[in-house]
Amino acid sequence: MNGVTGRMGYRQHLVRSILPIRDAGGVELPDGSRLQVEPVLVGRNEEKLRALAKEHDVAEYTTDLDGIVTDPGTDVVFDAAMTNLRPATLSKAMRAGKHVYTEKPTAETLAEAVDLARLREETGVTAGVVHDKLYLPGLVKLRRLVDEGFFGRILSLRGEFGYWVFEGEHQAAQRPSWNYRSQDGGGMTTDMFCHWNYVLEGILGSVRTVNAQTVTHIPTRWDEQGEPYDATADDAAYGIFEVETPGGDPVVAQINSSWAVRVYRDELVEFQVDGTHGSAVAGLRRCVSQQRANTPKPVWNPDLPVTEPFRDQWSEVPANADLDNGFKLQWEEFLRDVVAGRPHRYDLLSAARGVQLAELGLRSSAEGRRLDVPEISL
């Protein structure tokens, strides 16, 4: 597990996924047997690794990434380190015959991301890319509504994501400073458009065009040492995407992403899907819906106060299943695919499409125009 001392690698992948799987006796396989996991912690700071290993009863840790990647005892290489280092790590692992599971984006450029997808085909290993949001209870419920035909013909999707990230001058920032330096791989578009690509694909269909506006709202921030620095990366991205459903219907999707916005909604990310037969709003955990037959008839009258309880007119969508932590669920699915020797449904080609959308989003903003999203072929 490379990059396990970082926020995502530690919290979501080690503490909330791999350790619970280990402590539960492994992943249950279709034949009733169990596959156990034994993590190896990898990073650059040996002192931090030693402390984590001791705290969580992990037997092995190392700062020798190359050595553990090629070690015959290693079956899976997971990477959550910096994006600019990821292609080399994943390439070395696949060439060594290791299965790979990775955070995204998988690369800083589309060319590198496509090369990784080609290498996976050449080596035949199982590769998975974290698509955590599709495993969240709210989006699982939303996808179920799509599958059941609840919406009729889907018309649009509107997404709102983000929160206020403190500049670091008076209150410490909640995100690392490299996120706001383009030279270090930071930027809202680079970070989030790869998410939005798989969310749109997983809920609606293929993304055909993108029209984006990227902005650096906060030009100066303060780093972990309290020193000011120039924020060279975009901290907000406003995108309009044309999506085509598997049935060929066009859907307009609009997603706002910002680290310079204060939250006035129920969750940090929310998606509203509107269709001819109904609408739904999904967050990380909740999903509410409103059918056509139950849709009220609002009347616009600015001269009178609004008395309708709009939020009360929606119905909660039940889970109807035990929806565990999304990161853990995808880990379990990936490990089952490894044992079965089959491809993971969210692979390096899916990740390449995310990198492509981020590149096109930045280019769309720079050129001030809508761009087509061509199909990637290997």
Side-chain angles (χ1 to χ4, degrees):
M1 300 188 74
N2 184 39
V4 77
T5 56
R7 180 175 59 92
M8 291 296 292
Y10 174 70
R11 186 181 305 278
Q12 296 296 351
H13 293 286
L14 179 65
V15 173
R16 301 195 66 196
S17 300
I18 291 299
L19 293 180
I21 291 172
R22 180 196 68 178
D23 296 343
V27 177
E28 185 174 356
L29 301 177
D31 64 0
S33 64
R34 300 190 77 86
L35 173 72
Q36 184 56 289
V37 293
E38 289 295 341
V40 180
L41 310 186
V42 186
R44 293 177 293 179
N45 189 316
E46 185 172 1
E47 186 177 339
K48 286 184 178 180
L49 292 171
R50 184 185 299 111
L52 289 180
K54 181 178 180 181
E55 179 182 356
H56 297 290
D57 193 26
V58 174
E60 192 172 351
Y61 62 90
T62 181
T63 58
D64 182 9
L65 174 61
D66 290 346
I68 198 66
V69 164
T70 57
D71 190 310
T74 300
D75 300 300
V76 173
V77 173
F78 168 71
D79 189 73
M82 292 180 66
T83 303
N84 62 340
L85 304 176
R86 188 162 294 141
T89 300
L90 298 181
S91 296
K92 182 170 292 188
M94 287 189 285
R95 288 194 176 98
K98 313 301 183 183
H99 307 290
V100 296
Y101 189 61
T102 178
E103 270 291 349
K104 55 207 166 294
T106 50
E108 290 187 309
T109 68
L110 176 59
E112 289 178 308
V114 171
D115 284 344
L116 289 172
R118 289 194 181 112
L119 184 58
R120 192 225 65 82
E121 286 209 335
E122 293 170 11
T123 58
V125 301
T126 299
V129 180
V130 180
H131 282 26
D132 55 288
K133 289 177 177 52
L134 292 178
Y135 293 78
L136 291 168
L139 291 193
V140 170
K141 298 170 190 176
L142 185 63
R143 178 67 217 191
R144 191 174 79 230
L145 293 178
V146 173
D147 292 340
E148 293 176 352
F150 169 83
F151 296 102
R153 182 167 60 86
I154 297 176
L155 309 174
S156 63
L157 175 145
R158 188 175 73 252
E160 292 285 343
F161 164 78
Y163 47 92
W164 187 267
V165 176
F166 284 94
E167 298 92 325
E169 182 181 16
H170 303 295
Q171 294 194 52
Q174 310 96 296
R175 298 182 64 87
S177 58
W178 71 263
N179 282 174
Y180 303 95
R181 293 189 293 264
S182 57
Q183 63 269 31
D184 292 333
M188 175 63 83
T189 309
T190 300
D191 188 3
M192 296 308 302
F193 271 37
C194 57
H195 285 278
W196 304 150
N197 185 78
Y198 75 69
V199 166
L200 293 173
E201 285 186 348
I203 301 299
L204 300 176
S206 301
V207 182
R208 299 304 187 194
T209 72
V210 56
N211 190 352
Q213 179 68 54
T214 67
V215 188
T216 305
H217 287 305
I218 309 295
T220 303
R221 292 181 178 270
W222 280 256
D223 63 20
E224 290 78 3
Q225 288 73 44
E227 296 296 327
Y229 67 95
D230 293 333
T232 54
D234 52 301
D235 56 16
Y238 308 94
I240 298 176
F241 312 91
E242 290 182 273
V243 181
E244 184 178 330
T245 69
D249 292 328
V251 179
V252 177
Q254 173 193 337
I255 304 178
N256 297 327
S257 314
S258 178
W259 287 315
V261 63
R262 294 174 177 88
V263 180
Y264 187 68
R265 51 186 181 272
D266 292 334
E267 302 200 51
L268 295 183
V269 62
E270 287 185 347
F271 300 96
Q272 176 164 336
V273 175
D274 292 299
T276 54
H277 291 173
S279 298
V281 179
L284 297 174
R285 304 202 63 83
R286 295 187 63 209
C287 183
V288 296
S289 66
Q290 188 175 92
Q291 292 180 313
R292 178 168 59 182
N294 296 328
T295 302
K297 194 174 184 180
V299 177
W300 173 258
N301 187 342
D303 298 322
L304 295 176
V306 176
T307 58
E308 284 193 79
F310 291 114
R311 289 180 181 269
D312 295 341
Q313 295 163 354
W314 295 68
S315 301
E316 190 85 27
V317 178
N320 290 347
D322 181 19
L323 300 179
D324 203 347
N325 174 268
F327 287 89
K328 177 172 174 282
L329 286 174
Q330 190 178 357
W331 261 109
E332 292 173 336
E333 180 182 327
F334 168 74
L335 291 170
R336 291 189 185 102
D337 290 339
V338 167
V339 172
R342 60 184 175 231
H344 187 60
R345 56 176 170 160
Y346 303 124
D347 60 7
L348 291 167
L349 182 57
S350 173
R353 292 193 295 270
V355 174
Q356 177 190 45
L357 190 64
E359 277 195 2
L360 290 173
L362 291 169
R363 183 177 146 204
S364 168
S365 180
E367 298 178 3
R369 64 189 182 99
R370 183 178 62 187
L371 296 175
D372 292 332
V373 179
E375 186 174 349
I376 298 174
S377 60
L378 300 179

